[in-house]
Structure formats: C-alpha cells, structure tokens
Amino acid sequence: MVQAARVERGMVRPSLEVKGLTRAELEHALQEMGELRYRAAQIFQWIYKRQVGSFEDMSNLPKALRHSLAERFTLKLLSVLQEDRSRDGARKFLFGLEDGKQIESVLIPDEDRMTACLSTQAGCALACAFCLTGVMGFQRHLEAWEIIGQIPALQERLQSEGRITHLVLMGMGEPLHNYEATVKALRVMTEKEGLAFSPRRITLSTVGLPKALEKLGEEGIGVNLAISLHAPTDDLRDQLVPINRRYPLKELLEACRAYPLPPRRRLTFEYVLLDGVNDRIEDAKELAVLLQGLRCKINLIPLNEAPEIPFKRPSRERLLAFQQVLHDQGYTATLRESRGWDISAACGMLNTEAVRKGLFRNKRAFFS
Ligand code: SAH
C-alpha cells in the first residue's frame, strides 16, 4: 500500500489509496470506522461508475463520513506523461508513478471493442529472449491500485469516444509474478458495484507459473487465461523463456490441464513466431502433440521486430504453413498481427527506458 503519511492531531497515520481495496476490504475498513458496510458499494459506484475526483463529491454520503474517508484514504488518478497514436488507431500512454518509475498501457479500438492493455509491473524479471520489456529488466511490482488506476485514467482519455469493453493483462510485466496485487485488481475489475467487467472480457496473459496458476484457479474469478508458450520442447523454451528452466513444460501443461475452465471456455496458447527458430513444420507438429486433449486455441503472433531483439519475423509463407499444420490437426489457430507497431505499442514492445532515452521516435511506417 502507498504509505503517504498524514499528521493528524499530532499522530502520524498512514493513508491508503482507496482504489487498492477490494469491496470486502473497504467494507471491513468501514466497519472499523463504525460505519455501515453498504457504504462500500456507494463508494465503489462513485469512484468507478461516476469517476468522481474526491470524497467530497460523493454527495449521498454524510458529510462526516466524507471527511473521515478523506482523512484515511486518498483518491488519486495516475498521471499521463505522454500519449502516442498509431496510424492503425492504437493509442499508447506513458504513466508516471509516484516514485518516478514509468509504465505504459495501450488502448486498442476494434470495431465494437475497445481493449485496454494493462501493465502489472514496471519492467519484467523474466527476460524472454524476444521481448523488449524483458530487455528493460525488473524495476518493481505495481501496487493493486496502480494496476486498477490505469482503467479510469484511460477511460478519462477516451471521453466520449467510447467505453473500455475488454481488459487484457498483456502490458509490461508478468501478472502472476505480482500475484497478490494482480488478484486484488481482478476482484476490483469484476466488482458489480464498480467497474463491473464480466470475467469473460478479461484476459490474463502469463508465461504460466504452475503454482500460481493452481492458486488462481482456486480464487474462482473466472477470467480468460492466455499462456505464453512459444516453443514445443524444453530445449527450445529454455532458451526463449528462461523461467522454463525452473518450471519445465511438463509441469506447465499439467497446471493447464488442471485449471478449472468454466464450461464452453478455452485456454489460449500464445506462440510468437521467430524465423528459423520455432517456426518449422516439425515445431508445429510437436506443438499439436503437446496440446492434445486440451480445450484450447492457439494465437500465433508474428514477431514484432526491434533492433535489440536478435530474431526475425518469418515470411508470410512460413507463417501460413505453420498455421496450416495446426488447422490440419484440428486446432483453432489464429494468426494475429499486433497493433501499434509504429509507436512501439505492439506485443512485447513496451519499454519505458527506451522512451526515456528517446529511442523509437520516427519509426519507419510499417503498415504503409
Ligand atoms: N508476461 C506476460 C504478459 C506480457 S507479454 C506473458 O508473457 O504472457 C504479452 C505477449 O506478447 C506475450 O505472449 C509475449 O510473449 C508476447 N511478446 C513479447 N515480445 C514480443 C515480440 N517482440 N513480438 C511479438 N510478441 C511478443
């Protein structure tokens, strides 16, 4: 929790950012203040449905309660330092955190959808070989409120252009490495009195830490899971996704098979295609065998290239050939171009260090 100290009648009290609290936690805090629990629902409505900027604005709460809430809690908005717009409509936002660290989020409009791609950490510890956030290294976990706070801040930027309809935890960081804050954030996202996202409209993307997956299943939140697989064998995955050395494929796939998927839902496996590395026909065949019996679909992502990444995107021909093998084996496999490449907002491109150093400016037009 953010420990902004406040001095009150000579006593120092820590104040908490209210967006970091689940409804149950806020109810508990209210009870400790001698208030009624149902006020938590009202407060959630003010923050997330009406997006008020202060406790004072919560006009159906008694004045004394508004006052004591303001004494105990903060109600902050993340500050946007920079916005970039892609020629394909994606918008990338650079947020400044209170300790000077920076994170990025992306808004992706698509027909009747508006997807917000959120970060869960500043940087990332996992160092996947093709990911620019990995190049940046790990800076710190985000607090629950910093994860949640990206949503109202993005929504404010959207104004009348529409509402965010889908959330993906696919920005900077590994959500399951920051487990407690991520789960808290998921609870706030799905809280009916607040943001009220259906869990079906939320996707958590992860390298797949087996123990954390098991725990997440037990939480019963029911969000969609996307597992970043990227290789069909341990030898290859060890090189591309180094955490595989600690949690090899067998353990990961066991955790996936044990995951309590809601009826009619499927896991997604993400597979970044790297020319000559993991995109051979044999790789596709091995992948098909590896995923046998799993209720899943496969999301093939052609590599987003960058100078710091020592791989190339395969030719269209190779991409299609890989996809065809999976189709022939009965899988749903989509070949997805990620959005916002020209502003470095595409999958694996988020790197605030590069923003700071002024790299990535005037990127050549990829889509034209
Ligand atoms: N840590 C999480 C979420 C962040 S990355 C995870 O690993 O799933 C979101 C997706 O983008 C992941 O599947 C990741 O492997 C992929 N990605 C990373 N770098 C990429 C690149 N250069 N090109 C295409 N996709 C990339």
Side-chain angles (χ1 to χ4, degrees):
M1 285 293 137
V2 177
Q3 297 290 320
R6 285 176 169 230
V7 179
E8 186 192 278
R9 289 190 209 97
M11 301 218 343
V12 178
R13 280 185 179 221
S15 80
L16 298 176
E17 171 52 41
V18 70
K19 287 197 292 302
L21 300 182
T22 61
R23 179 167 159 192
E25 286 171 333
L26 184 56
E27 284 175 351
H28 184 74
L30 285 163
Q31 277 181 318
E32 283 195 336
M33 290 160 67
E35 299 286 342
L36 295 167
R37 288 173 48 162
Y38 80 93
R39 297 285 186 202
Q42 290 178 313
I43 296 166
F44 261 68
Q45 286 166 5
W46 280 113
I47 299 173
Y48 297 109
K49 292 205 196 292
R50 309 225 203 155
Q51 305 216 29
V52 294
S54 76
F55 293 107
E56 197 41 48
D57 294 337
M58 301 183 179
S59 55
N60 63 353
L61 302 184
K63 267 214 168 310
L65 174 56
R66 283 184 252 169
H67 182 72
S68 43
L69 286 170
E71 275 182 344
R72 283 172 178 77
F73 301 108
T74 56
L75 180 52
K76 293 182 281 202
L77 200 61
L78 286 178
S79 62
V80 175
L81 302 181
Q82 188 177 316
E83 174 179 348
D84 295 293
R85 281 182 189 245
S86 165
R87 63 188 62 216
D88 69 14
R91 294 164 70 180
K92 184 172 80 166
F93 299 87
L94 177 70
F95 290 105
L97 307 178
E98 288 177 332
D99 61 355
K101 301 268 186 287
Q102 300 179 342
I103 54 164
E104 291 176 313
S105 326
V106 187
L107 279 176
I108 308 154
D110 195 9
E111 291 177 3
D112 52 350
R113 286 184 178 206
M114 178 62 76
T115 303
C117 176
L118 310 178
S119 292
T120 54
Q121 297 177 317
C124 185
L126 297 179
C128 298
F130 44 80
C131 179
L132 276 185
T133 311
V135 169
M136 194 181 143
F138 179 69
Q139 295 189 339
R140 72 163 168 85
H141 293 303
L142 296 190
E143 307 274 349
W145 87 266
E146 292 169 321
I147 303 175
I148 284 294
Q150 294 166 63
I151 304 168
L154 292 171
Q155 189 58 60
E156 196 189 61
R157 285 298 182 121
L158 269 174
Q159 294 288 340
S160 57
E161 288 171 66
R163 294 203 66 77
I164 297 169
T165 60
H166 292 74
L167 300 172
V168 293
L169 302 187
M170 289 190 189
M172 291 184 154
E174 167 49 49
L176 296 186
H177 182 206
N178 186 11
Y179 185 86
E180 297 299 335
T182 296
V183 166
K184 237 183 208 210
L186 293 175
R187 293 204 187 284
V188 177
M189 289 167 190
T190 50
E191 169 54 50
K192 292 216 167 38
E193 301 296 344
L195 291 165
F197 281 93
S198 153
R200 292 170 162 275
R201 289 169 174 244
I202 304 175
T203 301
L204 184 153
S205 178
T206 173
V207 289
L209 310 173
K211 290 190 198 86
L213 277 177
E214 187 186 336
K215 231 167 122 190
L216 184 67
E218 288 163 6
E219 310 275 357
I221 307 176
V223 295
N224 299 307
L225 268 191
I227 310 285
S228 290
L229 197 62
H230 309 316
T233 62
D234 280 322
D235 273 355
L236 191 51
R237 196 165 193 263
D238 281 354
Q239 292 169 48
L240 299 178
V241 183
I243 195 76
N244 194 69
R245 296 171 202 160
R246 191 161 349 144
Y247 305 110
L249 282 171
K250 185 168 177 295
E251 273 182 54
L252 170 57
L253 270 295
E254 265 166 25
C256 291
R257 287 180 202 283
Y259 190 78
L261 264 184
R264 293 187 299 283
R265 300 266 285 281
R266 292 189 280 179
L267 290 173
T268 299
F269 286 96
E270 292 162 293
Y271 196 103
V272 174
L273 285 158
L274 312 170
D275 190 36
V277 176
N278 66 353
D279 68 337
R280 299 164 311 156
I281 296 298
E282 302 91 273
D283 297 322
K285 287 182 179 160
E286 280 181 317
L287 181 61
V289 173
L290 187 71
L291 300 183
Q292 245 167 27
L294 266 157
R295 243 195 297 151
C296 69
K297 57 188 171 196
I298 303 163
N299 191 0
L300 301 172
I301 317 170
L303 174 73
N304 293 308
E305 296 180 358
E308 297 82 351
I309 296 170
F311 301 106
K312 290 273 164 248
R313 166 190 290 235
S315 66
R316 184 100 197 129
E317 216 177 11
R318 280 180 80 92
L319 297 173
L320 292 173
F322 195 95
Q323 183 185 32
Q324 191 59 49
V325 173
L326 296 172
H327 282 171
D328 291 346
Q329 300 296 321
Y331 288 95
T332 306
T334 50
L335 193 52
R336 199 153 292 150
E337 201 57 68
S338 42
R339 306 268 302 273
W341 189 86
D342 56 335
I343 54 162
S344 293
C347 290
M349 299 276 104
L350 301 182
N351 180 321
T352 53
E353 292 303 306
V355 172
R356 203 171 285 172
K357 289 180 196 145
L359 302 175
F360 295 160
R361 284 288 159 76
N362 304 320
K363 201 166 206 172
R364 86 192 142 84
F366 190 75
F367 298 98
S368 56

